[in-house]
Structure formats: structure tokens, C-alpha cells
Amino acid sequence: MLRLEINRVFGFLAIACGAVLIWQRPQATAAAAGEPGPAYFPMIVAGLLILLGIVFALVPAQVAVKRDADPDGDPDEKGDGFDLRMLVVFAALTLAYAGLFTTLGFHISTALYLVSASYLLSDGGLRALIGSAVFAILGTLVFGIALTRFFGAFLPEASFL
Amino acid sequence: MWSLFFDSLTLLVQPGNMAVMFGGVLLGLVFGSLPGLSTTMAVALMLPLTFVFSSTLGISMLVAIYVGGISGSCVSAILLRIPGTAASIATTFDGFPLAQKGQPVRALGTAIVASFFGGIIGLAILITAAPYIARIAIKFGPVEYSALALMALTLVGTLSGGSMLKGLLAATFGLALSLVGIAPIDAHPRYTFEIQGLIGGLAIVPFLIGLYAVPQLVLQVGRRSESRVALDLKVRGFGVTLADIRRNITNILRSALIGMGIGSLPGIGSAAANLVSYGVARQFSKNPEAFGTGTTEGIWAPETSNNASVAGALLPLITLGIPGGGVTAVMLGGFTIHNIQPGPLLFRTNPEAIAAVYAAFLLAAVLVLLTQLFSIRLFPRVLQTPRRFLIPAVFMITVTGVYISDYRVFDIFVMFAVGCVGITFERYRFPLAPVVLGFVIGPILEVNLRRALMLSKGDWLPFLTKPLSATFLLVALSIVVFGILRRRASSRP
């Protein structure tokens, strides 16, 4: 039953995406005579999305039967043995790393990220913390040097230094 | 041509020249395997260096980087499910599951040998049939390009496994995402929602990494227990048997032809070639249900195809002077630096340069094979790295790689947003390949469709009256019909 509803949700999402494409279509006219203009192709894609969305929303039963016939999927998918709290904390940490990447610079942000992410995934304790710190310092230095010296990449420096 | 080819080969195997070629191959392998570092970037970085070399050696080094880059992208695709370049997207489908089953050497070995075969078959076609293929390629106008793009999209949408409806919806969703940014032809911004970062559109690197790597990494983070892969490293050579090659000989030849054909069309390239050949291999396979679970058939096809597409991409560059993509565009700059003007007259004015490209291609393919043979047991050990070190390191590489691909922090957030889409799609078993192909092919389809309609003054009839276009559309239709019939037949008790 839940699967059936999910297929229907995807159908409505596709219709909504198509509607957004139509609603936000560019208003500019074609640059040359006979040229269909920048809204032409998006309208085709929108039409396809709406059509497929309707099909998906109206005829979900066949798909649903197939999905229900496969109840022994990946245990992770069913939520068994899955640590959602760890995932949320880790995601927040990684997003913070991305957000502070240019402000703190590559070296500081990466070292802080690696030490905290590595420690978070460990069993805890002082030994794990030392291991994480060593890994963070070495990882940051080796990767940073390789990228800048050998591959000519430019990495952000701390904006406050 | 053959005597010039062997002369060039003799020159390139001199110790000093060989060292330069080896350096080029190594650089290509590293740039190809690291997400964010592209082969185009490697060729562009080394371009000024070719000033100090003779024209033969300079051009040969660029070819070596190109071949190395395409071959190297399979390593991260197989071990980490991160396609180093778009050329290895389809390699993740079966390469990663096979590595997770404890057979990374076999997966890598198959990819390496397939790459070698793809390169050699592509080169053989390039040498023998370059002028003839160029004559066909030049007949491709906007109508043919649009029809071909539509066929590729239908093929991948229909054949990528699971529900056909889901595949088509995923492909259309990819097309929708490709619309964000500046519209082609008239450069009108659209679907940017007044977000400055979206004006340039969604970049391919964060898109690929977000779709493939992020869902896998999230799954690894969320697991309560650490799942160690029991590695089978006691494999002889590449872990590829003659029986395996014999079983896949049709698959190899077919994929090489697909790679060569699609690669020779400017603008489409290896990203489409590997996905299309994977879809076709699945269609013709005796065990299509094994695809996606770690079958070597699913590695032979994309890896043969993407290396053959390198030879394909060189074809319009050499014969017509038209670069088919980013790497060949930079290589055209390299040719110009050395006062070589690619095009139809090159065969008469400077056949030595063409022979040098062919010889460099062959040598680079052999060097890639040898280099990877010695490192094949080294890379899989990555899978034995404890989770607490591997996951943060991979996240660090992806974040930094995405940043340096365009120097925009915005792209990192795009990667995470696309990652959420990837997680949802995987959770509800929507195939990811059609999303990527829709995204890659969308701009090609749009620009050619609009050009075709402009030329025909809005008339759709040329799509049916032009033989090549009509053939492609007929194939697309047959694929859908065949897919429906096959599914109906398999669902019968």
C-alpha cells in the first residue's frame, strides 16, 4: 500500500516539475524568424514530464505489485542497522565544512573536518582522537601539497589571515 | 601511412621519448581517476610544456595524457563508485558491485583489458577508415544530431533496468535539469530563480559526484557496523580469462563500434558512448537480469566503448579539423602551437603528424596496460581502509575536487542537493543512468532541434524524410516497442 502511494507521489512530483517549467518559462521571443525560441524545448520537456507523471499517478498498480514482490531488498533500505542520528550529525559536519571551505581556507577547514569526522566514526577515546588528529594533519598536508604543487590547482587560503 | 607509422613508433620508443610518454600516461591516469581533475585540465596544463619538445613528441605526449585520462577514470568508478570522468559512469553499475563482492582485481582487470581492446580496435578503425567515416560524420546536420540524441536517450531510458516507465521519467528529469542556466542560441537565462550561481547552469562534475558518490557515502556513514570487503587478491595477471574474453568478443566489438561511432560525432563524446554501449550490451545479453549485480559483461561494454571513443574523437580533429570536445579542442591548440593545421589537407601536407598521433595512441594504450598491471593489486587495498578514515577522506576529495573544477563553493552545495536526488532515486529504484544522459544530452538535443526547425522553418517533416534521421527514429521506436514486448513476455507465468 505504501509503495503504491509512493509511486503516486512520484507521479505528482513529475507533474509539479512540468508545471514549474511551464510557469517559469522564458518570456523572450525568438532571436530569428522561424527559430522556435528559448521556451520551445522546455515546453516539450514539461509536456513529457506531465504525461509521464499522469501515467505514473494513474497506473501505479503494476509497478507497486513488482515492488511488493521484492520485500527482501537491502536491509539498509528497510532501515535495519541504520544509524540516522549519526547520518544527521555527519551531514551537518560535512555541510559546515563546505560552508567554511573558503572562509577558513583549505588547510584549516580540511584538518578540522577530517579530525572531527574521523573521530565521529570511531569508537571514541583518547587513542582514537590522536589517530584522527594524525590522519587529519597528514591527509590535509599530503592532499594540499599534491593539488597545489603537482597539479597546479589553487586552494582557498584563510580569509582572516 | 604504415611506413610513417612505424617510423614514428621507432622514434617514440627511444628511452628519452618513452619517458615523456610514460609521464603523460601517468599524469592522465592520476587526473582521470581523481574527481574534479579532468583530462582536459591535464592536457591544458601540459600544453605549454610541448614548446620544448619536437612537434612529434609534443603531440604524442598530449595523446598519451588523453588515453591515460580516459583509462584512469575506471579506478575510482570501480573502487569507490565515483566516476573520475563522465566516460566511466556506466562502469560503476557493475564494477562497483563486483568490487564489493571481494573481486576488485577482476573488476579492475576487466576494465583495463577492455580499455586496451577498445583503444586498439578504435585505432585500427581510425587508421584504415578515417577518411570514409569522416565523410559520413560530415553528413550529420542538426536533424540527424537531434534524432541520434533522442535515440540514445530512449535507449538508455528503456534499457537501464527496472521499470521502463521509471527509466523514461528519469531521462526526462535529467533533461529538465539541463535546462537550468543560459539557453543555447539566444543566451537567455532561464530557470535560475534569481539565484546567481545557477546562471551558468549545473556543472557536470558536482552533478556526477552528487548522483553517484554521495548516496553511497551516505549509506556507508549510516551503517551501524563496519562492513569489510573480503578481498580476493590471489588472482593471476589481470584476473581476466581467455574464456571471459571469448564470451564477450561480440560485446567488445559492438561496444568498440558504438564508442568509435558516437565518439566521432562532435559534441556527444564518451559520456554518451559508455552509457549507450552498456544499454545495448544489456539488451543483447543472455542474462540481462545479471546487469547491475556485478557481471563482467557490464564492465567490458562501457570500458571498451569509452576508449574507442578517444579514437573516435580524434577522427574529426584529424580529418576535418573539428574538435569534438574539450580535450580535442585543447589538443587543436597543441597542433597549432607546432604549426600543424588539422583538416582534409593534413593527409597531403603533413602525414608525419598523423602517423605520430596513431603511433602515440598505440604506445599510450600499451603503457597504460603495463602501468595498471603493476598497480592492479595496490589500488584495491583502498577498500580495506577503516571506514573512519576512508569516508572522511573521500568526502574531502569530493568537496575539494568539486571546488577546484570551477572554483565555486556553490557547486559543492549543488553536489549535496543532487546527492539528495540520487538518494531518493536509489531508495525507490529509479535508474540513475538516464538522469545523467538526459542531463548531458539535453543541450545537444535542444540546440540541434532548434537549428533544425529554424532551417526547415518550423517543419518537422525532415526528421522523417532524411534517411539517417528516419533510421535513428525508427530504432528509437523499435527499442520502446521491443522493451514493452520483452517485459510482457517475461512477466507471463
Side-chain angles (χ1 to χ4, degrees):
Chain A
M1 188 63 190
L2 181 68
R3 302 287 188 207
L4 188 132
E5 289 307 320
I6 280 162
N7 281 311
R8 198 158 275 170
V9 167
F10 271 103
F12 288 128
L13 276 176
I15 295 169
C17 280
V20 169
L21 288 184
I22 295 170
W23 175 48
Q24 289 283 315
R25 71 187 179 279
Q27 298 298 329
T29 49
E35 209 281 307
Y40 189 80
F41 188 66
M43 290 308 97
I44 297 176
V45 177
L48 273 172
L49 273 174
I50 292 172
L51 181 75
L52 288 166
I54 291 170
V55 175
F56 228 78
L58 289 181
V59 283
Q62 197 182 358
V63 187
V65 168
K66 271 199 158 182
R67 293 285 296 118
D68 289 342
D70 182 26
D72 308 322
D74 192 344
D76 290 325
E77 198 181 304
K78 292 192 290 183
D80 301 344
F82 206 78
D83 190 346
L84 194 64
R85 210 177 68 173
M86 164 71 84
L87 189 62
V88 171
V89 175
F90 198 91
L93 191 65
T94 310
L95 283 173
Y97 170 49
L100 296 170
F101 194 66
T102 46
T103 315
L104 294 181
F106 168 77
H107 291 98
I108 298 173
S109 62
T110 302
L112 283 176
Y113 172 70
L114 286 182
V115 74
S116 42
S118 169
Y119 185 71
L120 189 69
L121 292 170
S122 71
D123 299 329
L126 185 65
R127 215 174 141 179
L129 186 65
I130 293 168
S132 298
V134 171
F135 161 67
I137 293 165
L138 283 177
T140 307
L141 286 177
V142 170
F143 195 61
I145 289 169
L147 281 179
T148 50
R149 297 280 165 86
F150 301 123
F151 303 136
F154 297 99
L155 293 172
E157 296 291 340
S159 56
F160 54 85
L161 288 179
Chain B
M1 180 53 72
W2 285 106
S3 65
L4 285 172
F5 172 78
F6 287 114
D7 286 348
S8 297
L9 203 58
T10 314
L11 181 76
L12 288 176
V13 293
Q14 304 293 320
N17 298 344
M18 192 78 161
V20 172
M21 288 292 289
F22 184 63
V25 162
L26 269 187
L27 195 73
L29 283 171
V30 173
F31 270 70
S33 61
L34 284 174
L37 296 177
S38 65
T39 314
T40 314
M41 206 188 279
V43 175
L45 270 175
M46 289 296 120
L47 200 59
L49 203 70
T50 64
F51 270 118
V52 297
F53 300 137
S54 66
S55 60
T56 304
L57 188 59
I59 298 295
S60 301
M61 190 182 75
L62 298 181
V63 172
I65 298 171
Y66 191 9
V67 175
I70 297 291
S71 308
S73 63
C74 70
V75 178
S76 54
I78 288 170
L79 298 179
L80 302 169
R81 206 190 178 218
I82 303 173
T85 65
S88 284
I89 298 164
T91 312
T92 59
F93 303 162
D94 279 290
F96 182 71
L98 190 59
Q100 289 298 305
K101 282 179 185 170
Q103 298 183 45
V105 175
R106 193 165 165 230
L108 281 171
T110 307
I112 293 163
V113 178
S115 298
F116 180 72
F117 282 166
I120 296 302
I121 297 169
L123 179 66
I125 299 171
L126 186 68
I127 294 176
T128 50
Y132 310 104
I133 297 173
R135 248 176 260 161
I136 299 171
I138 209 168
K139 282 186 183 158
F140 270 68
V143 174
E144 286 79 8
Y145 265 111
S146 321
L148 178 72
L150 194 69
M151 186 188 82
L153 212 54
T154 317
L155 187 80
V156 174
T158 317
L159 305 177
S160 47
S163 154
M164 190 164 89
L165 204 58
K166 282 183 173 179
L168 291 175
L169 190 66
T172 318
F173 184 67
L175 281 178
L177 290 178
S178 78
L179 298 172
V180 176
I182 303 281
I185 299 180
D186 41 27
H188 189 86
R190 60 188 183 189
Y191 306 113
T192 55
F193 306 98
E194 295 184 8
I195 300 168
Q196 195 73 19
L198 286 178
I199 289 178
L202 303 174
I204 185 76
V205 174
F207 193 85
L208 277 184
I209 297 177
L211 210 57
Y212 285 101
V214 171
Q216 186 57 36
L217 288 168
V218 164
L219 190 73
Q220 296 286 339
V221 171
R223 274 192 180 140
R224 282 187 205 277
S225 56
E226 184 157 357
S227 57
R228 282 281 180 95
V229 178
L231 296 182
D232 176 17
L233 297 175
K234 289 174 189 157
V235 184
R236 284 180 64 193
F238 285 110
V240 179
T241 59
L242 267 175
D244 203 16
I245 296 172
R246 261 201 301 272
R247 230 185 353 262
N248 281 285
I249 200 79
T250 319
N251 186 10
I252 292 168
L253 290 171
R254 187 181 50 227
S255 304
L257 287 175
I258 292 172
M260 186 75 196
I262 294 181
S264 66
L265 299 171
I268 297 193
S270 51
N274 76 95
L275 287 166
V276 170
S277 57
Y278 182 87
V280 174
R282 189 174 184 278
Q283 173 79 340
F284 285 97
S285 171
K286 285 174 188 161
N287 302 307
E289 65 285 347
F291 277 67
T293 62
T295 174
T296 51
E297 263 185 282
I299 303 174
W300 282 109
E303 281 303 316
T304 308
S305 174
N306 66 19
N307 271 262
S309 76
V310 174
L314 289 172
L315 197 137
L317 178 71
I318 293 169
T319 55
L320 306 171
I322 302 169
V327 185
T328 42
V330 180
M331 282 177 75
L332 181 64
F335 277 90
T336 316
I337 285 172
H338 292 283
N339 215 13
I340 298 166
Q341 186 57 52
L345 291 176
L346 191 64
F347 282 88
R348 237 178 284 164
T349 56
N350 200 345
E352 297 84 6
I354 298 173
V357 170
Y358 294 164
F361 195 113
L362 177 69
L363 192 60
V366 174
L367 285 174
V368 166
L369 189 77
L370 293 176
T371 310
Q372 293 192 316
L373 174 65
F374 288 112
S375 58
I376 198 166
R377 276 162 192 78
L378 190 72
F379 291 129
R381 294 191 191 276
V382 167
L383 298 176
Q384 285 184 320
T385 312
R387 184 177 81 132
R388 57 180 285 233
F389 297 130
L390 185 64
I391 294 173
V394 175
F395 262 119
M396 183 257 288
I397 292 170
T398 53
V399 166
T400 314
V402 166
Y403 174 77
I404 62 171
S405 67
D406 238 348
Y407 294 103
R408 292 198 314 170
V409 174
F410 182 76
D411 282 343
I412 303 173
F413 291 101
V414 169
M415 175 182 81
F416 289 126
V418 176
C420 293
V421 173
I423 292 166
T424 314
F425 269 49
E426 287 224 311
R427 174 75 178 82
Y428 297 106
R429 300 193 182 172
F430 276 80
L432 297 178
V435 185
V436 178
L437 197 69
F439 182 75
V440 171
I441 260 184
I444 299 163
L445 180 58
E446 179 176 9
V447 78
N448 284 292
L449 182 71
R450 285 173 65 183
R451 273 185 198 150
L453 289 173
M454 192 160 62
L455 291 171
S456 68
K457 296 191 170 58
D459 189 4
W460 284 78
L461 208 61
F463 285 92
L464 300 175
T465 52
K466 292 199 172 210
L468 276 171
S469 156
T471 311
F472 291 142
L473 292 179
L474 194 69
V475 172
L477 189 70
S478 315
I479 291 162
V480 175
V481 174
F482 187 66
I484 294 170
L485 291 176
R486 191 169 167 165
R487 256 159 240 274
R488 278 199 179 167
S490 62
S491 63
R492 271 188 206 132

